[in-house]
Amino acid sequence: MDNPDAVLMAWLEREELLFRRLERHIVAGRLRSGFVGGDDSADVDGFLAFSLSVQNRRKSRAGQSLEHHLEALFQARSIRFSRGAETENRNKPDFLFPGHVEYHDPGFPPALLTMLASKSTLKDRWRQVLPEAMRIPEKHLLTLEPAISENQTDQMKAEKLQLVLPAKLHETYRDSQRSWLMSLDDFVHLVSGRQDR
């Protein structure tokens, strides 16, 4: 398999094109029928509800899509993992490596455990990741968010949260941040190396 960073970005771009084409077809039909109330006045509430549902569907699909593509990539690389496995306090990290069985085995070395959260966009939601797997002190978070501020990445470093981004997005960050960023290829090598031990 080619470079995981390039593969993931190509898959995401292709899916986005297909989704937008389908969405355009579905939304166009609803727009053509219009938003007119029973008294022939504009149905503003109906329009707003429809618009919000389109936006929410886009956000939900983007997050699920990222997880599905990561899962396919890890499977293609024969990397062992559990997706959405429960940890402490009913938390469910997106990915646990090598899996939930090893995570819940007190005899399994924590140094060989890895956690990856995935969020297509971040804002301040990166903090949600911190309590998700208490046995793993250094967590990983993959995002597609370009150019996060230095203040935010400094806070992530202080919380031992490693940011993982496709290599193509590294160029949107400041030089002072780039040496700390991890690519998806770096992450794949990290978990593969831990599983080979």
Side-chain angles (χ1 to χ4, degrees), residues 80 97-99 101-115 134-137 194-195 197:
R80 294 188 340 257
F97 304 87
V101 171
E102 293 83 0
Y103 184 83
H104 291 288
D105 177 358
F108 192 84
L112 298 180
L113 295 170
T114 310
M115 187 217 92
M134 300 310 289
R135 284 194 69 201
I136 304 172
R194 287 180 178 175
Q195 290 184 14
R197 286 197 219 164

Side-chain angles (χ1 to χ4, degrees), residues 133-190:
M134 300 310 289
R135 284 194 69 201
I136 304 172
E138 294 183 7
K139 296 169 176 52
H140 293 81
L141 170 60
L142 184 134
T143 188
L144 304 175
E145 185 87 35
I148 296 170
S149 73
E150 279 187 85
N151 182 46
Q152 289 270 49
T153 56
D154 287 346
Q155 290 177 31
M156 291 177 194
K157 286 182 206 176
E159 296 289 347
K160 297 183 179 174
L161 180 64
Q162 175 64 58
L163 200 57
V164 180
L165 297 114
K168 178 178 172 181
L169 296 177
H170 287 211
E171 64 196 37
T172 67
Y173 286 74
R174 295 178 181 262
D175 290 340
S176 57
Q177 295 169 295
R178 287 184 195 157
S179 62
W180 170 72
L181 297 174
M182 183 180 260
S183 69
L184 181 55
D185 189 48
D186 296 334
F187 180 80
V188 165
H189 282 93
L190 173 75

Side-chain angles (χ1 to χ4, degrees), residues 6-189:
V7 169
L8 178 66
M9 292 304 286
W11 286 349
L12 289 168
E13 288 167 11
R14 173 61 65 178
E15 181 182 354
E16 183 70 16
L17 286 172
L18 294 171
F19 174 77
R20 291 295 172 112
R21 178 175 279 174
L22 176 63
E23 181 188 58
R24 199 172 311 122
H25 176 73
I26 292 169
V27 170
R30 178 64 180 101
L31 291 175
R32 274 193 289 278
S33 68
F35 294 91
V36 180
D39 58 356
D40 281 342
S41 64
D43 181 8
V44 175
D45 290 335
F47 169 75
L48 291 174
F50 178 72
S51 174
L52 186 59
S53 73
V54 170
Q55 291 174 21
N56 287 339
R57 183 172 47 243
R58 282 183 175 187
K59 290 175 188 174
S60 175
R61 184 208 52 86
Q64 290 295 317
S65 167
L66 181 58
E67 285 184 38
H68 291 312
H69 290 310
L70 287 169
E71 181 176 27
L73 197 142
F74 297 143
Q75 288 171 340
R77 293 282 179 129
S78 301
I79 295 172
R80 294 188 340 257
F81 66 92
S82 293
R83 183 172 169 197
E86 194 169 290
T87 61
E88 303 83 8
N89 301 317
R90 297 181 138 174
N91 285 309
K92 293 183 179 180
D94 296 324
F95 297 95
L96 279 176
F97 304 87
H100 70 281
V101 171
E102 293 83 0
Y103 184 83
H104 291 288
D105 177 358
F108 192 84
L112 298 180
L113 295 170
T114 310
M115 187 217 92
L116 178 69
S118 67
K119 295 190 180 295
S120 54
T121 61
L122 278 185
K123 297 186 173 79
D124 204 33
R125 297 180 309 138
W126 61 268
R127 295 176 196 282
Q128 297 168 351
V129 172
L130 301 176
E132 287 186 351
M134 300 310 289
R135 284 194 69 201
I136 304 172
E138 294 183 7
K139 296 169 176 52
H140 293 81
L141 170 60
L142 184 134
T143 188
L144 304 175
E145 185 87 35
I148 296 170
S149 73
E150 279 187 85
N151 182 46
Q152 289 270 49
T153 56
D154 287 346
Q155 290 177 31
M156 291 177 194
K157 286 182 206 176
E159 296 289 347
K160 297 183 179 174
L161 180 64
Q162 175 64 58
L163 200 57
V164 180
L165 297 114
K168 178 178 172 181
L169 296 177
H170 287 211
E171 64 196 37
T172 67
Y173 286 74
R174 295 178 181 262
D175 290 340
S176 57
Q177 295 169 295
R178 287 184 195 157
S179 62
W180 170 72
L181 297 174
M182 183 180 260
S183 69
L184 181 55
D185 189 48
D186 296 334
F187 180 80
V188 165
H189 282 93

